[in-house]
Amino acid sequence: MAARSKRTGAGDSLLRLGNYLTRSEPLDGDRAQVRHGGRQGDVFYRDRWSHDRVVRSTHGVNCTGSCSWDVYVKDGIITWETQATDYPSVGPDRPEYEPRGCPRGAAFSWYTYSPTRVRYPYARGVLVEMYREARERLGDPVLAWEEITTDPERRRRYQRARGKGGLVRTTWEEALEIAAAAHVLTIREYGPDRIAGFSPIPAMSMVSHGVGARFVNLLGGSMLSFYDWYADLPVASPQVFGDQTDVPESGDWWDAAYLVLWGSNVPVTRTPDAHWMAEARYRGQKVVVVAPDFNDAAKFADEWLAPHPGTDGALAMAMGHVILRERFVERPTPRFTEYARTYTDLPFLVTLDRRDGRFVPGKFLTASDLPGNTDEANPDWKPVFWPEGEDAPVAPNGTVGHRWGADGEGKWNLDLEGRVPELTFYAEGAEAAEIALPRFDTPDGTAEVDTRGVPVRRVGDRLVTTVFDLVLAQYGVSRPGLPGVWPDGYDDPGAACTPAWQEALTSVPADRAVRIAREFADTAEASGGRAMIVLGAGTNQWFHGENAYRAFLSLLLLTGCQGVNGGGWAHYVGQEKCRTATGWAAYASGMDWSRPPRFMAGTSYWYSHTDQWRYDTYRADALMSPLGPGRVRGQHTADLVAASARMGWMPSYPTFNRNPIQLGKEAVERDRDPAEYVADQLQDGTLRFAAEDPDDPKNWPRTLTLWRSNLFGSSAKGNEYFLKHLLGTHSNLRSEPAGPDDRPEDVTWRDEVPEGKLDLLLTLDFRMTSSTLLSDIVLPAATWYEKHDLSTTDMHPFVHAFNPAIDPRGRPAPTSTPSTRWRRCSANWPRTIWARSPTWSRCPTSTTPRGSSPSRTGCRRTGRRRGSGRSPGGPCRTSSRSAGTTRRWPRSSLRSARWPRGRGSPSRVCRSPRTRRSSGCASATAPCAAGSLTAAPPWTPTSRPAR
């Protein structure tokens, strides 16, 4: 207490003054107050919730919530935030969208003032020392960077320092110069496709994502995907529906009569949307939660099923077994069969191929397989079904083949033109064939084969059956007269897909699985399809997640729920807003400059460049059906990644083992078409794909920029591989590289294990994270309450705008370079901010009134007008529009008092004689001649003082 009373700093002086003026009893060295009774206690609350203004903004977090918030500001400091409550009404018959928010959002403003906030540019200290020395000696940033990165000892020094502290504060000019030098050298020596950028889902802040992606694309670098990399992409969606997660908004939960929360802990992970689930229970909705733990959603549930983690697919298959048997075979439900004929591929025909002496399912029968269809357009893309009462299959409207070509005009629809597709060939006396079907439920993971019969017909020399008949065989639903081995009933634990079979795998009692399946189907029939499954990461983020999802989606398709309000599947990420996504795609991809954009699947990129393939002993055989043709048998995953690059299945960067700019120059010099020249080079072996030799230094990624992401803290799967091989720093990697028998065949294996492929790791963030601690350069970013941006989501129909409630903390990047003299005068101001402003700023000695055009008034020092050049005594800061900057006055960390009336503007008030002399002023009392803006404590340079 005694020690604290001796403090004489500006902050302590303000605290003592505040206690004196408020006549309060101080405690803890003037840092606490005591109020006694009555209205005195109310003062605390009035001060706590007082504010000068309210700003509408939102949060750019990857939660798909996209909630609008009111941000309250007092004296330039955010005091608190509350949920906005003025969403457009949806009418009296359903709950409103508001209020949307969660406890995490309500506490976001703490990030702005957090001790981990990044306020200034930082760089790795050992790298800065080497760069400054080389820069001064060589005089060129690119030469300096080249000398450091090509010297093995120097390169090793700063790479090994990654993640071990040692970041030092630097200037924007130096940080940007180093980053620019790294990019220039990479483009010149290795190629622009050695530059990479990573930033997750654009929807959470579309402008911020797009501006970085545009930078990378315009340079010729590669933007890495995010959706697949952090396993939020449900692969089953494009497999089943042909599009990316086209799911309903969360408000559609209200319309569901039966709601299954499968792997989705809605109150915690989708807090803004959870009220629809809770409120719908008042109108009779039944809620079933499927989760291995009794999570927060389970307390809202009428039923809780707890399968073992990762076994959800077995439970869904058993439920499908029950629905198929009871609603399609024993007692066909007209609505379900009609839906299946019209909206699913269940009536389409599949050929049966003979392989190893037995029949196995082959490809779809298409129009090209039918006699007499030689002149039809796109026949290979038109699957066929067999209409009732007709003697041959036909291709219905709406197939992929009708999407292109003149003959498809007017047929890109689901009009069956009066035809009724046959769902099954099963009938008395119908021909049948035994087929082999794989199963993968053995304890040791090896695949086995079930033999079951399906009804068939002949089309020419081909044997065909329907998709529906194959599905019944796969699910083990028997029908009298069909050959093969079938389950004895629901209680048969040895037959795949029975309720008893799933109980042994999931621990969910068989009778409960049967009852939930029946309730789901009964509700779908009675309500017209208003049964819904809400899916979450708990079921999606598994290695075999797409197979489990296809089992979930089959339940919805069999019961006619997909495409119905209140029915279908509701994912935690879905289709983005078309209008904003269209604009984002155009400018983020740089398609106004060049096409196509350079995007690459992040999963294969990291797999190759973090050298995880060197430790992978998992052969493609482990994922193969024992009934397949065996085209990839014995191949390594890295071999398949290289094959996909060679055959153009997906983009791969870097593409070739040579600089693409050099390849283009060579083609021009030889007067060759670049595409033909590259093809010839590949043909004769002079040129190779980089994916075939990812450890060749010529094929390494060289610069990586991260923004809006914490790659190494949240989604660097195989983090130790990243640390060792990509960054070259210490790691806890204990794996041993694959032995000779487990190595790839087509990908070059180098005995020298590469460490530290990346020359530069650049991260932009507003807080210190795992990624910034590992970075070579860290640049500060504005938080969500300090910038303009857009936020969208697939969970509601609104587009929210970010609006700055306060100016960015710290020192944002300059929009123009101040003069040497200006920098010297502001040397004592660590919080100086250079930012664009639409208002005129004041020349330190100008008589220009605020808001008037400097072009009509002269500079008091020189008499010169705007545009007349620099005055002898220093720069004339007359206009932010001409100079590109304005001098702002950031708030101090303490709450500042308002500028006293009658004192004049801050530009005319000097702090102290000592400060003025150190800033270059000629006299402690004479008018300022150095162009400095100063103010008395506790002022620091910031925006125009509040009035």
Side-chain angles (χ1 to χ4, degrees), residues 703-725:
T703 65
L704 172 63
T705 302
L706 308 176
W707 71 103
R708 301 167 64 258
S709 72
N710 183 11
L711 174 67
F712 295 95
S714 59
S715 62
K717 292 180 282 291
N719 184 66
E720 304 303 321
Y721 301 96
F722 278 78
L723 297 181
K724 179 175 182 178
H725 298 291

Side-chain angles (χ1 to χ4, degrees), residues 117-417:
R117 178 73 191 271
V118 178
R119 299 174 184 270
Y120 309 98
Y122 292 92
R124 194 148 303 285
V126 62
L127 177 61
V128 170
E129 292 175 2
M130 292 188 293
Y131 178 80
R132 288 174 179 171
E133 185 276 329
R135 174 73 166 84
E136 182 177 0
R137 176 165 42 83
L138 299 174
D140 184 271
V142 179
L143 293 179
W145 183 255
E146 182 178 24
E147 181 179 87
I148 294 170
T149 55
T150 56
D151 183 340
E153 179 59 30
R154 292 185 181 186
R155 179 186 179 86
R156 188 68 171 165
R157 279 182 60 198
Y158 79 83
Q159 288 185 337
R160 297 292 281 181
R162 289 169 172 166
K164 303 180 180 65
L167 290 174
V168 298
R169 187 166 146 187
T170 185
T171 64
W172 275 98
E173 291 78 8
E174 183 175 56
L176 295 177
E177 182 179 279
I178 296 174
H183 283 78
V184 170
L185 181 67
T186 299
I187 294 172
R188 188 188 74 189
E189 295 298 320
Y190 308 105
D193 53 357
R194 275 70 173 171
I195 295 171
F198 178 79
S199 187
I201 182 169
M204 62 187 188
S205 48
M206 304 186 78
V207 178
S208 297
H209 179 280
V211 68
R214 182 176 179 84
F215 168 75
V216 173
N217 271 297
L218 290 180
L219 284 182
S222 55
M223 274 299 296
L224 306 179
S225 66
F226 46 87
Y227 207 9
D228 62 316
W229 173 239
Y230 49 67
D232 278 345
L233 172 65
V235 182
S237 180
Q239 288 175 340
V240 174
F241 301 112
D243 59 20
Q244 176 193 298
T245 49
D246 193 3
V247 295
E249 295 172 349
S250 302
D252 203 34
W253 300 354
W254 167 262
D255 296 307
Y258 200 95
L259 191 67
V260 181
L261 304 181
W262 210 320
S264 183
N265 189 8
V266 165
V268 173
T269 60
R270 300 173 71 174
T271 309
D273 305 315
H275 68 92
W276 277 298
M277 178 266 295
E279 291 158 343
R281 299 181 73 242
Y282 288 100
R283 66 193 301 230
Q285 179 188 88
K286 180 166 184 175
V287 177
V288 177
V289 169
V290 185
D293 60 329
F294 189 81
N295 56 31
D296 288 68
K299 65 185 179 183
F300 293 95
D302 301 291
E303 298 269 358
W304 171 44
L305 305 182
H308 295 310
T311 64
D312 305 86
L315 175 59
M317 292 291 284
M319 293 173 62
H321 177 97
V322 173
I323 292 172
L324 284 167
R325 171 167 294 283
E326 298 183 1
R327 293 311 192 99
F328 283 88
V329 175
E330 295 177 352
R331 185 176 63 86
T333 304
R335 185 182 181 280
F336 294 173
T337 56
E338 177 65 21
Y339 182 97
R341 287 189 173 100
T342 307
Y343 300 109
T344 75
D345 64 352
L346 290 174
F348 284 113
L349 305 184
V350 177
T351 62
L352 300 182
D353 301 333
R354 183 171 290 279
R355 186 176 300 138
D356 298 330
R358 54 191 174 186
F359 284 111
V360 296
K363 299 170 61 177
F364 278 113
L365 186 74
T366 64
S368 63
D369 300 319
L370 303 180
N373 280 0
T374 55
D375 297 332
E376 186 170 352
N378 306 318
D380 292 331
W381 298 91
K382 295 177 179 178
V384 299
F385 64 68
W386 204 303
E388 291 183 355
E390 298 190 22
D391 56 1
V394 298
N397 291 344
T399 65
V400 176
H402 290 105
R403 179 66 176 83
W404 295 277
D407 73 324
E409 187 174 348
K411 297 183 179 180
W412 183 238
N413 53 60
L414 296 181
D415 184 5
L416 297 180
E417 299 176 340

Side-chain angles (χ1 to χ4, degrees), residues 890-936:
R891 303 288 181 181
S892 124
S893 58
L894 297 172
R895 218 178 261 178
S896 303
R898 297 186 183 277
W899 190 261
R901 294 191 179 186
R903 291 283 301 277
S905 71
S907 61
R908 299 182 181 180
V909 179
C910 289
R911 297 184 62 180
S912 67
R914 184 175 65 179
T915 301
R916 295 186 60 185
R917 290 194 185 96
S918 65
S919 301
C921 293
S923 168
T925 58
C928 179
S932 62
L933 294 179
T934 54

Side-chain angles (χ1 to χ4, degrees), residues 317 321 439 441 450 452 474-476 487 492-498 501:
M317 292 291 284
H321 177 97
R439 56 184 294 180
D441 58 336
D450 281 334
R452 290 168 181 165
Q474 185 71 66
Y475 275 81
D492 187 348
C497 302
T498 66
W501 166 83

Side-chain angles (χ1 to χ4, degrees), residues 567-582:
W569 70 303
H571 203 246
Y572 61 101
V573 285
Q575 203 72 26
E576 302 303 335
K577 301 294 179 288
C578 293
R579 291 193 175 184
T580 51
T582 301

